[in-house]
């Protein structure tokens, strides 16, 4: 979710006198926090690629996700280096392929098994690096394996059924709705910071905008695309509001901890690939859970 905390503009017309302490302050001007033209253009391009791969050949979408997650893991690895963390990249990237392809081909058991094997491989891969920082590096590696490819694996589980592409579209749509709703409401109405010590740009008004957009898209997506009930769409929208916001805050905390603004610069107007996956990853898990339990597969 990308919200904006608005700030009063400085300066003014020299002909105006000081209104005094009892005057009502002027409405502050919103300040967008990113290049909107670039962000919208890149977002539309990614949307076209995702939709084309989903509905032409599922395997192409799986390959697209594998590449994106590998890039995100590399970005995280580079971001952690200034903190002294050395991730064993070879077993970690092998785990990305194993978890995502395994989830699509072998479903939940394969995803769980691949995650476990990745954790073991990370321990073994770090053995040659000496004892200093062993626990730190392995712990960070297991965290990255869980946070990125394991959570992304639930998108592969959603893709597996006959109506899988539509399920993935609904999941992506509610996540994007959180971003768009939060950004719009934050720019127009943002006044009260949600978590100023983590992400000063997030506001309660932006959170409310995320909720409204997520609930609306959740209901519409589930009813129109998946032929499910409206209340299942409401549950999906509510869950997506929480996880998309938390995912964004978690990445903000991580970036503050290592002292960087963006995870990368590959996507103009967005930052790195990881900056686009932060809300999608946890939302993939809850979307798979809600849709699997509440929305029957459309044949």
């Amino acid at each position: 979710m990308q919200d904006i905390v608005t700030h009063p503009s400085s300066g003014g017309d020299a002909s105006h006198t000081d209104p005094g302490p009892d005057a009502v302050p002027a409405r502050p001007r919103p300040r967008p926090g990113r290049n909107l033209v670039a962000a919208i253009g890149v977002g539309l391009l990614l949307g076209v690629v995702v939709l084309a791969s989903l509905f032409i050949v599922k395997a192409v979408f799986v390959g697209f996700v594998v590449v994106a997650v590998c890039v995100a893991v590399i970005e995280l690895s580079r971001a952690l280096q200034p903190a002294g963390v050395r991730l064993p990249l070879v077993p970690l990237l092998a785990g990305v392929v194993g978890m995502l392809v395994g989830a699509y081909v072998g479903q939940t058991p394969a995803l769980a098994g691949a995650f476990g094997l990745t954790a073991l491989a990370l321990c073994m891969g770090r053995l040659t690096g000496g004892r200093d920082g062993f626990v730190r590096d392995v712990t960070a590696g297991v965290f990255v394996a869980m946070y990125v490819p394991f959570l992304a694996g639930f998108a592969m589980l959603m893709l597996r059924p006959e109506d899988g592409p539509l399920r993935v579209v609904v999941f992506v749509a509610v996540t994007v709705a959180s971003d768009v709703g939060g950004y719009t409401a934050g720019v127009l109405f943002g006044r009260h910071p949600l978590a100023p010590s983590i992400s000063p740009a997030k506001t309660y008004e932006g959170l409310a905008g995320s909720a409204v957009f997520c609930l609306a898209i959740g209901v519409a997506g589930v009813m129109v695309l998946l032929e499910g009930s409206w209340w299942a769409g409401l549950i999906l929208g509510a869950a997506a509001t929480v996880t998309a916001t938390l995912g964004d805050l978690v990445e903000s905390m991580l970036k503050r901890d290592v002292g960087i603004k963006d995870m990368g610069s590959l996507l103009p107007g967005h930052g790195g690939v990881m900056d686009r996956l932060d809300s999608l990853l946890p939302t993939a898990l809850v979307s798979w859970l809600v849709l699997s339990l509440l929305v029957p597969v459309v044949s």
Side-chain angles (χ1 to χ4, degrees):
M1 178 180 67
Q2 301 290 334
D3 304 344
I4 298 296
V5 176
T6 54
H7 304 279
S9 59
S10 59
D13 190 338
S15 64
H16 290 176
T17 59
D18 186 352
D22 297 328
V24 178
R27 180 190 176 101
R29 298 178 186 174
R31 292 181 183 175
R34 54 179 171 169
N35 186 330
L36 281 181
V37 175
I40 293 172
V42 170
L44 290 175
L45 178 60
L46 289 174
V48 170
V49 172
V50 168
L51 289 175
S53 61
L54 270 174
F55 291 100
I56 296 175
V57 181
K58 286 184 180 181
V60 175
F61 178 73
V62 175
F64 174 75
V65 174
V66 168
V67 171
V69 172
C70 282
V71 173
V73 166
I74 293 171
E75 289 177 348
L76 266 176
S77 175
R78 291 175 177 172
L80 293 172
Q81 285 176 0
V85 176
R86 294 175 292 166
L87 294 182
L89 263 182
V90 173
L92 195 51
L93 293 177
V96 170
V97 178
M99 279 184 263
L100 296 180
V101 176
Y104 178 66
V105 175
Q107 302 185 48
T108 310
L111 174 60
F115 174 72
L117 291 173
T118 301
L120 291 176
L122 287 168
C123 294
M124 292 185 290
R126 182 58 181 79
L127 287 175
T128 59
R131 66 182 183 182
D132 292 341
F134 177 83
V135 174
R136 175 199 61 206
D137 295 344
V138 170
T139 302
V142 173
F143 164 74
V144 171
M146 178 278 298
Y147 181 44
V148 189
F150 180 71
L151 290 180
F154 289 95
M156 300 297 95
L157 294 179
M158 276 186 284
L159 181 65
R160 182 68 181 174
E162 188 173 345
D163 64 349
L166 294 176
R167 289 174 177 256
V168 173
V169 167
V170 172
F171 140 64
V172 173
V174 293
T175 310
V176 172
S178 174
D179 191 0
V180 174
Y183 184 82
T184 303
V187 167
L188 295 177
F189 311 111
R191 294 294 184 276
H192 304 90
L194 175 65
S197 63
I198 301 174
S199 181
K202 303 294 180 292
T203 64
Y204 281 102
E205 291 82 2
L207 178 61
S210 290
V212 171
F213 275 55
C214 279
L215 291 173
I217 295 300
V219 171
V222 168
M223 292 184 66
V224 175
L225 297 180
L226 301 178
E227 301 178 13
S229 59
W230 63 268
W231 53 267
L234 279 181
I235 294 174
L236 176 63
T241 301
V242 174
T243 54
T245 302
L246 288 178
D248 206 24
L249 289 175
V250 166
E251 198 203 22
S252 294
M253 178 69 85
L254 196 156
K255 289 190 289 188
R256 282 185 171 272
D257 187 28
V258 299
I260 60 175
K261 181 179 183 295
D262 292 317
M263 286 293 178
S265 57
L266 185 63
L267 304 175
H270 294 269
V273 173
M274 190 61 214
D275 294 304
R276 286 298 85 211
L277 294 181
D278 57 358
S279 299
L280 288 164
L281 292 170
T283 308
L285 168 60
V286 298
S287 295
W288 169 77
L289 189 61
V290 170
L291 294 178
S292 296
L293 294 175
L294 302 181
V295 181
V297 173
V298 178
S299 57

